mmCIF file with all atom_site columns, all heavy atoms in Angstrom:
data_model
loop_
_atom_site.group_PDB
_atom_site.id
_atom_site.type_symbol
_atom_site.label_atom_id
_atom_site.label_alt_id
_atom_site.label_comp_id
_atom_site.label_asym_id
_atom_site.label_entity_id
_atom_site.label_seq_id
_atom_site.pdbx_PDB_ins_code
_atom_site.Cartn_x
_atom_site.Cartn_y
_atom_site.Cartn_z
_atom_site.occupancy
_atom_site.B_iso_or_equiv
_atom_site.pdbx_formal_charge
_atom_site.auth_seq_id
_atom_site.auth_comp_id
_atom_site.auth_asym_id
_atom_site.auth_atom_id
_atom_site.pdbx_PDB_model_num
ATOM 1   N N   . PHE A 1 67 ? 90.388  107.664 90.604  1.00 97.00 ? 296 PHE A N   1
ATOM 2   C CA  . PHE A 1 67 ? 90.921  107.525 91.931  1.00 97.00 ? 296 PHE A CA  1
ATOM 3   C C   . PHE A 1 67 ? 91.324  108.808 92.489  1.00 97.00 ? 296 PHE A C   1
ATOM 4   O O   . PHE A 1 67 ? 92.437  109.302 92.202  1.00 97.00 ? 296 PHE A O   1
ATOM 5   C CB  . PHE A 1 67 ? 92.154  106.492 91.772  1.00 97.00 ? 296 PHE A CB  1
ATOM 6   C CG  . PHE A 1 67 ? 91.854  105.129 91.219  1.00 97.00 ? 296 PHE A CG  1
ATOM 7   C CD1 . PHE A 1 67 ? 92.108  104.837 89.875  1.00 97.00 ? 296 PHE A CD1 1
ATOM 8   C CD2 . PHE A 1 67 ? 91.243  104.224 92.069  1.00 97.00 ? 296 PHE A CD2 1
ATOM 9   C CE1 . PHE A 1 67 ? 91.820  103.614 89.375  1.00 97.00 ? 296 PHE A CE1 1
ATOM 10  C CE2 . PHE A 1 67 ? 90.974  102.921 91.517  1.00 97.00 ? 296 PHE A CE2 1
ATOM 11  C CZ  . PHE A 1 67 ? 91.238  102.674 90.226  1.00 97.00 ? 296 PHE A CZ  1
ATOM 12  N N   . LEU A 1 68 ? 90.467  109.325 93.269  1.00 96.00 ? 297 LEU A N   1
ATOM 13  C CA  . LEU A 1 68 ? 90.633  110.686 93.806  1.00 96.00 ? 297 LEU A CA  1
ATOM 14  C C   . LEU A 1 68 ? 91.485  110.633 95.010  1.00 96.00 ? 297 LEU A C   1
ATOM 15  O O   . LEU A 1 68 ? 91.025  109.850 96.012  1.00 96.00 ? 297 LEU A O   1
ATOM 16  C CB  . LEU A 1 68 ? 89.328  111.418 94.037  1.00 96.00 ? 297 LEU A CB  1
ATOM 17  C CG  . LEU A 1 68 ? 88.415  111.673 92.792  1.00 96.00 ? 297 LEU A CG  1
ATOM 18  C CD1 . LEU A 1 68 ? 87.122  112.315 93.194  1.00 96.00 ? 297 LEU A CD1 1
ATOM 19  C CD2 . LEU A 1 68 ? 89.142  112.473 91.777  1.00 96.00 ? 297 LEU A CD2 1
ATOM 20  N N   . ILE A 1 69 ? 92.465  111.434 95.224  1.00 94.00 ? 298 ILE A N   1
ATOM 21  C CA  . ILE A 1 69 ? 93.358  111.368 96.377  1.00 94.00 ? 298 ILE A CA  1
ATOM 22  C C   . ILE A 1 69 ? 93.305  112.779 96.919  1.00 94.00 ? 298 ILE A C   1
ATOM 23  O O   . ILE A 1 69 ? 93.524  113.737 96.420  1.00 94.00 ? 298 ILE A O   1
ATOM 24  C CB  . ILE A 1 69 ? 94.771  110.941 96.072  1.00 94.00 ? 298 ILE A CB  1
ATOM 25  C CG1 . ILE A 1 69 ? 94.741  109.433 95.632  1.00 94.00 ? 298 ILE A CG1 1
ATOM 26  C CG2 . ILE A 1 69 ? 95.697  111.196 97.300  1.00 94.00 ? 298 ILE A CG2 1
ATOM 27  C CD1 . ILE A 1 69 ? 96.071  108.933 95.134  1.00 94.00 ? 298 ILE A CD1 1
ATOM 28  N N   . ASN A 1 70 ? 93.054  112.734 98.370  1.00 90.00 ? 299 ASN A N   1
ATOM 29  C CA  . ASN A 1 70 ? 93.111  113.952 99.147  1.00 90.00 ? 299 ASN A CA  1
ATOM 30  C C   . ASN A 1 70 ? 94.002  113.795 100.327 1.00 90.00 ? 299 ASN A C   1
ATOM 31  O O   . ASN A 1 70 ? 93.920  112.825 101.048 1.00 90.00 ? 299 ASN A O   1
ATOM 32  C CB  . ASN A 1 70 ? 91.658  114.352 99.620  1.00 90.00 ? 299 ASN A CB  1
ATOM 33  C CG  . ASN A 1 70 ? 91.654  115.630 100.271 1.00 90.00 ? 299 ASN A CG  1
ATOM 34  O OD1 . ASN A 1 70 ? 91.980  115.813 101.393 1.00 90.00 ? 299 ASN A OD1 1
ATOM 35  N ND2 . ASN A 1 70 ? 91.183  116.623 99.573  1.00 90.00 ? 299 ASN A ND2 1
ATOM 36  N N   . HIS A 1 71 ? 94.852  114.746 100.466 1.00 88.00 ? 300 HIS A N   1
ATOM 37  C CA  . HIS A 1 71 ? 95.788  114.655 101.614 1.00 88.00 ? 300 HIS A CA  1
ATOM 38  C C   . HIS A 1 71 ? 95.707  115.958 102.380 1.00 88.00 ? 300 HIS A C   1
ATOM 39  O O   . HIS A 1 71 ? 96.610  116.845 102.295 1.00 88.00 ? 300 HIS A O   1
ATOM 40  C CB  . HIS A 1 71 ? 97.254  114.469 101.067 1.00 88.00 ? 300 HIS A CB  1
ATOM 41  C CG  . HIS A 1 71 ? 98.204  113.934 102.189 1.00 88.00 ? 300 HIS A CG  1
ATOM 42  N ND1 . HIS A 1 71 ? 99.292  113.198 101.810 1.00 88.00 ? 300 HIS A ND1 1
ATOM 43  C CD2 . HIS A 1 71 ? 98.309  114.205 103.455 1.00 88.00 ? 300 HIS A CD2 1
ATOM 44  C CE1 . HIS A 1 71 ? 100.061 112.952 102.861 1.00 88.00 ? 300 HIS A CE1 1
ATOM 45  N NE2 . HIS A 1 71 ? 99.451  113.566 103.908 1.00 88.00 ? 300 HIS A NE2 1
ATOM 46  N N   . ALA A 1 72 ? 94.580  116.168 103.096 1.00 81.00 ? 301 ALA A N   1
ATOM 47  C CA  . ALA A 1 72 ? 94.328  117.458 103.744 1.00 81.00 ? 301 ALA A CA  1
ATOM 48  C C   . ALA A 1 72 ? 95.142  117.796 104.993 1.00 81.00 ? 301 ALA A C   1
ATOM 49  O O   . ALA A 1 72 ? 95.195  118.942 105.356 1.00 81.00 ? 301 ALA A O   1
ATOM 50  C CB  . ALA A 1 72 ? 92.876  117.548 103.988 1.00 81.00 ? 301 ALA A CB  1
ATOM 51  N N   . SER A 1 73 ? 95.662  116.703 105.581 1.00 87.00 ? 302 SER A N   1
ATOM 52  C CA  . SER A 1 73 ? 96.367  117.016 106.880 1.00 87.00 ? 302 SER A CA  1
ATOM 53  C C   . SER A 1 73 ? 97.674  116.120 106.812 1.00 87.00 ? 302 SER A C   1
ATOM 54  O O   . SER A 1 73 ? 97.806  115.239 106.046 1.00 87.00 ? 302 SER A O   1
ATOM 55  C CB  . SER A 1 73 ? 95.558  116.682 108.101 1.00 87.00 ? 302 SER A CB  1
ATOM 56  O OG  . SER A 1 73 ? 95.452  115.329 108.366 1.00 87.00 ? 302 SER A OG  1
ATOM 57  N N   . LEU A 1 74 ? 98.566  116.391 107.843 1.00 86.00 ? 303 LEU A N   1
ATOM 58  C CA  . LEU A 1 74 ? 99.796  115.640 107.945 1.00 86.00 ? 303 LEU A CA  1
ATOM 59  C C   . LEU A 1 74 ? 99.638  114.207 108.396 1.00 86.00 ? 303 LEU A C   1
ATOM 60  O O   . LEU A 1 74 ? 100.599 113.496 108.447 1.00 86.00 ? 303 LEU A O   1
ATOM 61  C CB  . LEU A 1 74 ? 100.805 116.399 108.814 1.00 86.00 ? 303 LEU A CB  1
ATOM 62  C CG  . LEU A 1 74 ? 101.392 117.637 108.212 1.00 86.00 ? 303 LEU A CG  1
ATOM 63  C CD1 . LEU A 1 74 ? 102.144 118.452 109.233 1.00 86.00 ? 303 LEU A CD1 1
ATOM 64  C CD2 . LEU A 1 74 ? 102.262 117.322 107.069 1.00 86.00 ? 303 LEU A CD2 1
ATOM 65  N N   . THR A 1 75 ? 98.379  113.826 108.781 1.00 90.00 ? 304 THR A N   1
ATOM 66  C CA  . THR A 1 75 ? 98.189  112.514 109.246 1.00 90.00 ? 304 THR A CA  1
ATOM 67  C C   . THR A 1 75 ? 97.114  111.691 108.519 1.00 90.00 ? 304 THR A C   1
ATOM 68  O O   . THR A 1 75 ? 96.836  110.513 108.909 1.00 90.00 ? 304 THR A O   1
ATOM 69  C CB  . THR A 1 75 ? 97.812  112.503 110.792 1.00 90.00 ? 304 THR A CB  1
ATOM 70  O OG1 . THR A 1 75 ? 96.634  113.270 111.007 1.00 90.00 ? 304 THR A OG1 1
ATOM 71  C CG2 . THR A 1 75 ? 98.959  113.077 111.619 1.00 90.00 ? 304 THR A CG2 1
ATOM 72  N N   . LEU A 1 76 ? 96.514  112.320 107.465 1.00 93.00 ? 305 LEU A N   1
ATOM 73  C CA  . LEU A 1 76 ? 95.441  111.668 106.851 1.00 93.00 ? 305 LEU A CA  1
ATOM 74  C C   . LEU A 1 76 ? 95.482  111.823 105.316 1.00 93.00 ? 305 LEU A C   1
ATOM 75  O O   . LEU A 1 76 ? 95.568  112.925 104.771 1.00 93.00 ? 305 LEU A O   1
ATOM 76  C CB  . LEU A 1 76 ? 94.075  112.206 107.372 1.00 93.00 ? 305 LEU A CB  1
ATOM 77  C CG  . LEU A 1 76 ? 92.838  111.665 106.599 1.00 93.00 ? 305 LEU A CG  1
ATOM 78  C CD1 . LEU A 1 76 ? 92.724  110.167 106.868 1.00 93.00 ? 305 LEU A CD1 1
ATOM 79  C CD2 . LEU A 1 76 ? 91.601  112.487 107.119 1.00 93.00 ? 305 LEU A CD2 1
ATOM 80  N N   . SER A 1 77 ? 95.373  110.752 104.629 1.00 93.00 ? 306 SER A N   1
ATOM 81  C CA  . SER A 1 77 ? 95.247  110.698 103.136 1.00 93.00 ? 306 SER A CA  1
ATOM 82  C C   . SER A 1 77 ? 94.011  109.814 102.849 1.00 93.00 ? 306 SER A C   1
ATOM 83  O O   . SER A 1 77 ? 93.918  108.813 103.471 1.00 93.00 ? 306 SER A O   1
ATOM 84  C CB  . SER A 1 77 ? 96.484  110.252 102.462 1.00 93.00 ? 306 SER A CB  1
ATOM 85  O OG  . SER A 1 77 ? 96.252  110.119 101.024 1.00 93.00 ? 306 SER A OG  1
ATOM 86  N N   . THR A 1 78 ? 93.201  110.271 101.852 1.00 95.00 ? 307 THR A N   1
ATOM 87  C CA  . THR A 1 78 ? 92.097  109.470 101.526 1.00 95.00 ? 307 THR A CA  1
ATOM 88  C C   . THR A 1 78 ? 92.204  109.156 100.057 1.00 95.00 ? 307 THR A C   1
ATOM 89  O O   . THR A 1 78 ? 92.572  109.907 99.185  1.00 95.00 ? 307 THR A O   1
ATOM 90  C CB  . THR A 1 78 ? 90.742  110.146 101.855 1.00 95.00 ? 307 THR A CB  1
ATOM 91  O OG1 . THR A 1 78 ? 90.683  111.340 101.098 1.00 95.00 ? 307 THR A OG1 1
ATOM 92  C CG2 . THR A 1 78 ? 90.604  110.425 103.287 1.00 95.00 ? 307 THR A CG2 1
ATOM 93  N N   . LEU A 1 79 ? 91.742  107.935 99.681  1.00 97.00 ? 308 LEU A N   1
ATOM 94  C CA  . LEU A 1 79 ? 91.580  107.470 98.273  1.00 97.00 ? 308 LEU A CA  1
ATOM 95  C C   . LEU A 1 79 ? 90.109  107.186 98.053  1.00 97.00 ? 308 LEU A C   1
ATOM 96  O O   . LEU A 1 79 ? 89.500  106.445 98.793  1.00 97.00 ? 308 LEU A O   1
ATOM 97  C CB  . LEU A 1 79 ? 92.421  106.300 98.061  1.00 97.00 ? 308 LEU A CB  1
ATOM 98  C CG  . LEU A 1 79 ? 92.174  105.434 96.692  1.00 97.00 ? 308 LEU A CG  1
ATOM 99  C CD1 . LEU A 1 79 ? 92.619  106.291 95.466  1.00 97.00 ? 308 LEU A CD1 1
ATOM 100 C CD2 . LEU A 1 79 ? 92.904  104.067 96.748  1.00 97.00 ? 308 LEU A CD2 1
#
Side-chain angles (χ1 to χ4, degrees):
Chain A
F296 299 100
L297 299 179
I298 290 173
N299 185 282
H300 194 153
S302 77
L303 285 170
T304 59
L305 175 64
S306 175
T307 60
L308 168 67

